[in-house]
Amino acid sequence: MKKAAAYIILILLISFQLYNVFAVQRFPKPEFESGYVQPSTLAPNPRAEALAILDVVVLLVTLSVATWMIIKKRSRDGVFWISIFTIAYFGFFREGCICSVGSVQNITYALFNPNYSIPISAILFFAVPIIFTLFFGRTFCAAVCPLGAIQDVFVFRPVALKSWVLKVLGLIPFIYLGLAILYAATATDFVICRYDPFVGFFRLNASFMMFMLGAVLLLLGVFIARPYCRFLCPYGVLLNLASRVSRKHLTITPAKCIQCKLCEDSCPFGAIDKPVQIKEKEESSKAVRRIILLTVIIPLLVLVGGYVGSRFHENLASVNHDVRLAQELLHPDKTQPESFEVTAFKSAGKSVEEFYKETASIVDMFYIGGWILGGFIGLIFGLTLTSLSIFKYQEDYTPNKGTCLSCARCIDFCPVKPEL
Amino acid sequence: MESSDKKKKGGLSRRDFINSSIRFSVILGIGAIGGKLLTRTQVRQMVWQLDTSKCIQCGRCATNCVKTPSAVKCVHVYSMCGYCDLCGGYFRPEVKELTTAAENQLCPTSAIRRTFVEDPYFQFDIDRDLCNGCGKCVKGCGAFGNGSLQLQVCHDLCDNCNECAIARDCPADAFSRVPSDNPYLFSGYDSKKKG
């Protein structure tokens, strides 16, 4: 009788485990006689979803307060204290995730991979700062971005860089953005997150390379203010473009500029446009020639860029996990022991031909991506060239709406009192 | 566009008009993208988890997590355990004596505790503070036992990075984003029972 019961229990146990292909019930669970109570398996729940909503609320509140401080209150101190709060909350408390800079990749990844269910907070972290920037300038960069805020407190001895250096280094973020989108779209990697320089500080825990990258940028930032924001940040590219058409923007003076030159060197980022002498009017034939030249050069640069990009598509694709594995399977290195990737692939039992076919389609995606990325970089080069050759008349000292990070430092230098 | 600053047309300069048009088309664009993605969004958040059926216990979970020690830990599913005396997850292969002496243990950090239940059964518990997620015991248990020891991302420890550092280096592609209301993928796990 007891034996029969044991068999029934055994059958029940086995049938219960049947859906489990992985489990091999080699040794059936014993029947304890000593009244032993089996402990339950520990499976702690993740951070509550409500807290993700809290992140969005904090973003909205800090962004609103920062915007108010910059546009209405015109207070550098206010901006500074918001930076400190941002470093504390988005930085050390939330440990640098989620951030708007990385959300670009989530959006791209979601657009290209229908299976990925993007969290609503990622959409909002991407969209809200851009919308704020469209109306008020880069107030997000000023104090709400934790990456910007931690660099901002390190701006001690800023030196002015030559404008051509600014222009050339200013091209890097576009290339970085293009690469990040390419790799996110092909589901290869989130490069912005991988090379996030300050997340190691926020987590108080980082690999040596990551820590060095962050430390170098922070120390460099003592002299070259906010190097990541100005010469690397891919999200800053989008905000830069959005800010150029912003409805309102931080102004140096609350009323009319008296051209006292006090603010001239106040900007650590070199983002103040200085008044220019009225030049003699350019001969129209010269201007026409320049326009013709540019209309030839820009499409040429796009084509050349696209061609070069497509030539390098295999190099770009070799970052991809599957492409690397396919290469390893095609050309096994006999001197090395078999890699974990190959072992895992063999144990998964997928057919090699099918896998090669999948990989080939990834490489094809990189070919198209290489054309687009190269063309995009060529276009940016061309447009930068255009902007350099355009003469812009400027009467007063005004912040450059694109590159100004709205940190409000210049406000304290202006002696003009607001008109009542 | 450059020379149009001063031309006023009903109080609105040409540049203002162009800027406003660009502004609203950008907002429309963001709205369209956001709206399109929103239809696919599950309001729930996604968390990282590893599929135990794909895992090959390569040991990278221990080294590649942004946290030290890793947020991936060995989870013991007691309901699958055979309570063996000679536990393939606890003892080294070719062990001489079945004692708790350090030289007999497979775990490099001694994170598994072996306690006597009744003859001939032993209970094995994981000390999560010591476990570094290397998966040696998981391999042993899977090879010689029931596979009740399994690697899982522990969500109270995981930072839920935007891009999981282990996921991108996992040779078996075992990591994926899973909905946070069903955050574990180990065999023998029942999300409804856990609540």
Side-chain angles (χ1 to χ4, degrees), chain A residues 13 17 19-20 22-50 52-53 94-95 97-99 102-103 105-107 109-120 123 126-127 130-131 134-135 188-190 193-194 203 205-206 210 244-248 321-322 324-325 340-341 343-345 347 390-393 401, chain B residues 2 5-6 15 18-20 22-24 26-27 30 33-34 36-38 40-47 52-60 66-69 75-84 117-118 121 123 125 128 138-139 141-147 149-150 154-156 159-163 167-173 177 180-181 183-184 186-189 193-195:
Chain A
L13 266 173
Q17 294 290 348
Y19 68 94
N20 241 319
F22 171 65
V24 196
Q25 201 77 14
R26 291 193 180 96
F27 307 99
K29 206 180 132 199
E31 282 176 84
F32 296 108
E33 282 155 7
S34 58
Y36 164 78
V37 181
Q38 179 185 292
S40 62
T41 303
L42 199 63
N45 281 326
R47 187 172 177 266
E49 277 167 38
I53 306 300
R94 291 295 292 120
E95 303 190 317
C97 257
I98 179 174
C99 85
S103 71
Q105 303 163 117
N106 295 60
I107 298 284
Y109 184 57
L111 284 174
F112 283 85
N113 296 272
N115 298 326
Y116 170 52
S117 156
I118 181 170
I120 195 163
I123 301 178
F126 173 75
I130 293 187
I131 292 171
L134 281 170
F135 285 94
T188 301
D189 198 356
F190 280 14
C193 296
R194 178 182 281 230
R203 296 201 174 112
N205 186 350
M210 214 172 177
R244 289 179 198 204
V245 296
S246 69
R247 190 183 168 82
K248 283 193 170 147
H321 183 271
D322 289 349
R324 252 192 333 225
L325 173 58
F340 289 128
E341 279 81 359
T343 314
F345 179 77
S347 71
I390 285 176
F391 172 75
K392 228 170 141 191
Y393 177 63
K401 281 172 91 177
Chain B
E2 299 304 319
D5 285 356
K6 300 287 178 281
R15 167 165 285 193
I18 292 171
N19 283 355
S20 307
I22 298 176
R23 189 158 60 236
F24 284 105
V26 170
I27 291 175
I30 292 179
I33 294 175
K36 183 172 179 255
L37 295 181
L38 266 179
R40 267 201 260 131
T41 298
Q42 296 148 314
V43 181
R44 65 179 77 143
Q45 82 194 63
M46 305 295 270
V47 292
T52 49
S53 64
K54 288 184 183 169
C55 174
I56 59 159
Q57 297 93 35
C58 65
R60 287 191 196 162
V66 295
K67 302 207 111 178
T68 356
V75 168
H76 193 190
V77 188
Y78 293 99
S79 59
M80 288 170 68
C81 182
Y83 290 81
C84 316
V117 179
E118 61 180 61
Y121 302 127
Q123 179 185 320
D125 301 290
R128 287 208 322 163
V138 179
K139 196 164 208 144
C141 180
F144 305 113
N146 288 352
L149 293 172
Q150 297 171 32
C154 287
H155 290 297
D156 53 337
D159 275 349
N160 198 20
C161 298
N162 198 11
E163 166 87 330
R168 68 181 170 222
D169 291 327
C170 174
D173 222 0
R177 295 179 178 88
S180 65
D181 57 357
Y184 289 93
F186 58 79
S187 326
Y189 168 68
K193 219 164 67 186
K194 290 276 159 202

Side-chain angles (χ1 to χ4, degrees), chain A residues 64-365:
Chain A
S64 307
V65 175
T67 306
W68 178 70
M69 282 288 176
I70 291 162
I71 307 276
K72 276 268 178 268
K73 200 89 191 325
R74 302 172 54 76
S75 157
R76 168 65 199 158
D77 287 348
V79 176
F80 176 78
W81 288 113
I82 297 166
S83 305
I84 299 294
F85 170 77
T86 305
I87 296 173
Y89 184 81
F90 288 117
F92 288 103
F93 175 63
R94 291 295 292 120
E95 303 190 317
C97 257
I98 179 174
C99 85
S100 297
V101 182
S103 71
V104 178
Q105 303 163 117
N106 295 60
I107 298 284
T108 317
Y109 184 57
L111 284 174
F112 283 85
N113 296 272
N115 298 326
Y116 170 52
S117 156
I118 181 170
I120 195 163
S121 59
I123 301 178
L124 289 173
F125 265 74
F126 173 75
V128 168
I130 293 187
I131 292 171
F132 263 78
T133 307
L134 281 170
F135 285 94
F136 306 108
R138 296 168 71 172
T139 52
F140 173 76
C141 298
V144 185
C145 176
L147 305 182
I150 194 170
Q151 290 174 87
D152 207 59
V153 296
F154 275 82
V155 179
F156 293 121
R157 289 269 176 279
V159 288
L161 293 179
K162 293 265 189 306
S163 65
W164 67 268
V165 178
L166 290 180
K167 278 281 178 199
V168 172
L169 291 179
L171 291 170
I172 301 173
F174 287 93
I175 301 172
Y176 196 5
L177 176 70
L179 276 174
I181 287 179
L182 176 67
Y183 283 134
T186 52
T188 301
D189 198 356
F190 280 14
V191 276
I192 303 174
C193 296
R194 178 182 281 230
Y195 299 109
D196 184 334
F198 305 117
V199 82
F201 290 102
F202 292 144
R203 296 201 174 112
L204 305 173
N205 186 350
S207 66
F208 180 73
M209 279 309 292
M210 214 172 177
F211 175 76
M212 283 310 286
L213 188 69
V216 164
L217 279 173
L218 283 184
L219 291 178
L220 202 67
V222 173
F223 305 106
I224 299 168
R226 289 215 196 185
Y228 186 81
C229 303
R230 290 199 288 165
F231 310 128
L232 284 168
C233 181
Y235 191 63
V237 168
L238 303 178
L239 296 186
N240 178 323
L241 297 176
S243 178
R244 289 179 198 204
V245 296
S246 69
R247 190 183 168 82
K248 283 193 170 147
H249 195 277
L250 162 94
T251 54
I252 300 172
T253 165
K256 180 126 182 49
C257 177
I258 55 168
Q259 309 206 354
C260 62
K261 297 189 177 177
L262 284 174
C263 66
E264 199 169 55
D265 298 321
S266 66
C267 183
F269 315 112
I272 294 180
D273 287 336
K274 300 180 175 73
V276 284
Q277 309 297 321
I278 304 173
K279 278 190 196 158
E280 279 175 46
K281 212 175 173 218
E282 201 179 18
E283 278 177 60
S284 66
S285 66
K286 213 173 152 192
V288 167
R289 217 175 319 138
R290 198 179 56 218
I291 287 174
I292 293 173
L293 199 65
L294 282 173
T295 46
V296 175
I297 284 179
I298 292 176
L300 200 70
L301 277 172
V302 172
L303 276 177
V304 170
Y307 179 73
V308 172
S310 70
R311 289 283 94 191
F312 280 101
H313 77 278
E314 279 174 354
N315 303 55
L316 289 169
S318 65
V319 178
N320 188 288
H321 183 271
D322 289 349
V323 175
R324 252 192 333 225
L325 173 58
Q327 263 164 2
E328 237 177 295
L329 288 169
L330 270 175
H331 314 288
D333 187 353
K334 294 281 192 297
T335 57
Q336 300 287 322
E338 187 182 78
S339 72
F340 289 128
E341 279 81 359
V342 176
T343 314
F345 179 77
K346 284 179 181 164
S347 71
K350 201 171 171 183
S351 92
V352 184
E353 282 72 33
E354 197 186 324
F355 180 65
Y356 284 156
K357 234 179 246 170
E358 277 171 31
T359 323
S361 75
I362 296 175
V363 176
D364 285 346
M365 270 176 82

